[in-house]
Every structure is written in C-alpha cells, then in structure tokens.
Amino acid sequence: MNQTADVVIIGGGIVGASVAFHLAERGCTNVLILEREAEQGLGSTGKATGGVRAQFATPINIQMSRYSIDFFTRFEEATGHECGYEPAGYLFVATSEAQLDYLKQTRARQMAEGLTNVELVGADEIARRVPGLRTDDVMGGSFCGTDGFIAPLKVMRGFTARARERGVRVWTETEVKGIEVKGGRVAGLQTTRGRISTRVVVNASGAWAAETARLASVEIPVAPLRRQLVSVQPAVPLAEGLPMVIDMSNGFHFRPEARDVGTTPGVLLAWPDDAETPGFKTDFDPSFTKKVFERARKRVPSLVAGATLNANRCRAGLYEMTPDHHAIIGESPGVGGLFLANGFSGHGVMHSPATGRILAELILDGRASLLDVSALSPERFATGQLLSETSVL
Ligand SMILES: Cc1cc2nc3c(=O)[nH]c(=O)nc-3n(C[C@H](O)[C@H](O)[C@H](O)COP(=O)(O)OP(=O)(O)OC[C@H]3O[C@@H](n4cnc5c(N)ncnc54)[C@H](O)[C@@H]3O)c2cc1C
C-alpha cells in the first residue's frame, strides 16, 4: 500500500524523536518516524553516558549546548515527561600549565558566548569536590554547575510520546532501503513495509548516516567509532552529587551512575581509546576494562581498589564521527528535501533539543532562526571550511 507523509524521519533515536517533536509543536503532524529495530533507542541513544555540557571550545557547540541545557530544565513543561536532568556539573582537571591555559582560553570564549557560570578552580577546591581524587599533580581546573546529566532514553521517549499525542506516527521494524530522487528532489522512499510518498526526508540515522545518505547518492563523511563504558561498584561508597570528572592528562573520565540504573548505582568509567578504529563494532571488549582501570587507578585509586565489576552494565556503542567533530546540519546539496541531522561525534544526546528545533525551522521556514548553523553545513567539507573542536571526550 502506498503511504504518504509530509515528513519522513529515518531513525527513531533521540535525534529523530526531537525532530518529530519540534515539527509537531509547530503544527506539522503528518510525520512518520521509521525505525528498523523492534523498538526505539537500540542505536547509540540507549548506550550513551548521559552527559550534558556547555564547556565546549567553539561558539556553535557552546550555543547548541546552552539552548539544549536550558531546554532540559523545562523538559517536563514542554513534553509532559521528565528527563532526569541533574545539574551535577562537569569538572575538567588540568595537570599541566598548557592544559590550564587551554581551560582559561576556552572559558573566555564561553563567557563571550554568554556562558557566564564556568569557574576556574584550584587543586584544593577540586579535592574538596571529589573526595579520593589524587591532586598532588593537579594545576587547577574548570567547573560548570549547569553541566551534568540527563537520562537519554527518557528524553527520547518524552519527545516521542508528545509527538505521538500530536499525531506523529512511529513505525518500528521498518528499514529504509531506497530514497527516490526525481528532478533533484526527494520523491519517496522504499521500505521493508512498502513505498512511502514524501517530499521531505530527515536523515536521523546516527552512526549509519553515511549509508542512509548513499541511498540518495549523497556522500557525507560520518564514520562509526566504538566507545566503551565500564560500570563498577566501588568498595567504598561514593560521595553524593559527584560531577562528571575529566582527567585532561589522558581523557579518562567518570560519572556516578544514574539512580534508576539498579538498586545500587555504581560508577561509569570511560576513556577515548585511541587504538579504536572506525567500524560497526558494538561488542564490549573485556580487555578495555584493564585499560580504563589503569587510568582510574592513577587518578582515583579508591574507585577501583576492591571494586566489583557490574558486568551486565558494561557496554559498547557507536560515536558518529565527522572529520572536524562537529555535526552536519542542513539540506543536502544536490538533493532538495533531504535534510541531514548527523555526525554529532558523541554529542547527539546533549544537542538533541537544539537540533530538533533547528531542523523544524529549516523544514518549515527554509531557514534556522534559533542559531546560525551555516558553520555546520554539509558543504563545509568540500569547501574546506572545517571547524576545530578541541574539547572532545
Ligand atoms: C558509549 C557512548 C557514550 C555516549 N555518551 C554521550 C553523552 O554523554 N552525551 C551525548 O550527548 N552523547 C553521547 N553519546 C553519543 C550519542 O549517543 C549519540 O550522539 C546520539 O545517541 C545520536 O542519536 P541519533 O538519534 O542520531 O542516533 P541513534 O540513537 O543511533 O539512532 C539512529 C537510529 O536509526 C536507525 N536506523 C539506521 N538506519 C536505518 C534505516 N536504513 N532505516 C530505519 N532505521 C534506521 C537505527 O536503528 C537507530 O535506532 C555517546 C555514545 C556512546 C556510544
């Protein structure tokens, strides 16, 4: 049977759900989300750490975060559902003058972008905030108290639920197999549930975005890269209200697990393993535990001494990397009606509110009024106007 929709969104993760929500809020409700899995959230969204921060280095990332974090504070009012926002903060810990200078410079840029609550903190203050952290080599750090955590699946479900109440349809177990282009414009989709007529398609397919774009003969530089998380139960209970803590000497970072993760939330340990190579690898590699434990032992020995592994909560998922670690947002060059919301490079959860609103504006108004997103245009890779985000975790 031939179905029609004003907008079809490929991918039912947090980004697709946010786009659907924002379209529906604007009165555009003949929208269909297509998700190939049996349920939403089985892509990267369900694997994410749940960190949200505005402490970035580029104006566009700072602005995307500022809008999104503010949105998380009023998520329940906007969607009728809670999102688990906890403003526990992000604490960057510097162990060299160069790192401290970097934090000072990025703080100045953050202030210029209106993010005025980033504090520079000394080693004593860091030790006070994070009991057990080794600070003998610490030069200082930066802390932003409105950074913190949200629950990615709650956000995705909240966006989806409100969008559905407004009339948006969600089809699971429906894979997009082809994108029809006629006269340089999207005309429809081929799916495992038949053909769908539409003139507007949103590529919200996460780490699989390049494959999806290729269905319309569009090339975008989005590569899947595995990221792994280790969950441990420390022998000594953690202090309450710990922030996300980032050891800038090697990228090791950790957060207290969300309270609803189980009866005894532990700690999530993470580290961007530079031996990782692009590919669709979503299996958790047990040898990663040793690597992350080594870094944890150096910075917070009490986290791992006598700790037990929560093996069922260790996981691996995919970052969707672009060459400049920034998202690709905009209408595809050469194919009218194909909109890209891709390549978040590990920040798609925290940037989902701004992304959804911007996509709705691009689709309905032809331009984004929330923010100038020209820096994120898909054309930048061909014209060489790449961005530079140095604060990637
Ligand atoms: C370990 C880990 C930790 C992370 N931590 C954070 C964090 O702290 N903060 C943060 O902001 N981000 C984090 N991220 C990144 C974040 O998870 C992603 O940026 C975000 O989930 C992307 O959302 P999405 O909706 O674009 O993609 P996804 O959630 O992957 O959704 C895409 C969906 O598209 C579907 N799909 C693909 N192709 C097709 C097709 N042809 N037809 C139909 N459906 C299709 C997939 O099945 C999938 O469900 C983390 C990621 C990982 C792996």
Side-chain angles (χ1 to χ4, degrees), residues 59 68 81 98 105 108 131 171 230 263 322 331 372-373:
S68 297
H81 300 268
Q105 283 162 22
W171 289 2
V230 172
T263 44
T322 62
E331 195 167 7
D372 175 5
V373 286

Side-chain angles (χ1 to χ4, degrees), residues 10-16 34-37 43-45 47-51 90 174-176 204-208 212 227-229 317-320 344 346-350:
I10 307 176
I14 200 164
V15 171
L34 301 180
E35 170 53 57
R36 66 180 166 197
E37 300 289 351
S44 301
T45 299
K47 304 291 178 63
T49 320
Y90 262 56
T174 310
E175 181 163 0
V176 175
S205 50
W208 299 269
T212 300
R227 280 297 158 105
Q228 310 193 71
L229 298 175
L318 297 169
Y319 269 22
E320 60 295 70
F344 294 92
H347 310 130
V349 162
M350 63 181 91

Side-chain angles (χ1 to χ4, degrees), residues 63 211 229 245 265 276 381 384:
Q63 293 299 352
E211 281 68 19
L229 298 175
V245 181
E276 199 60 75
F381 303 103

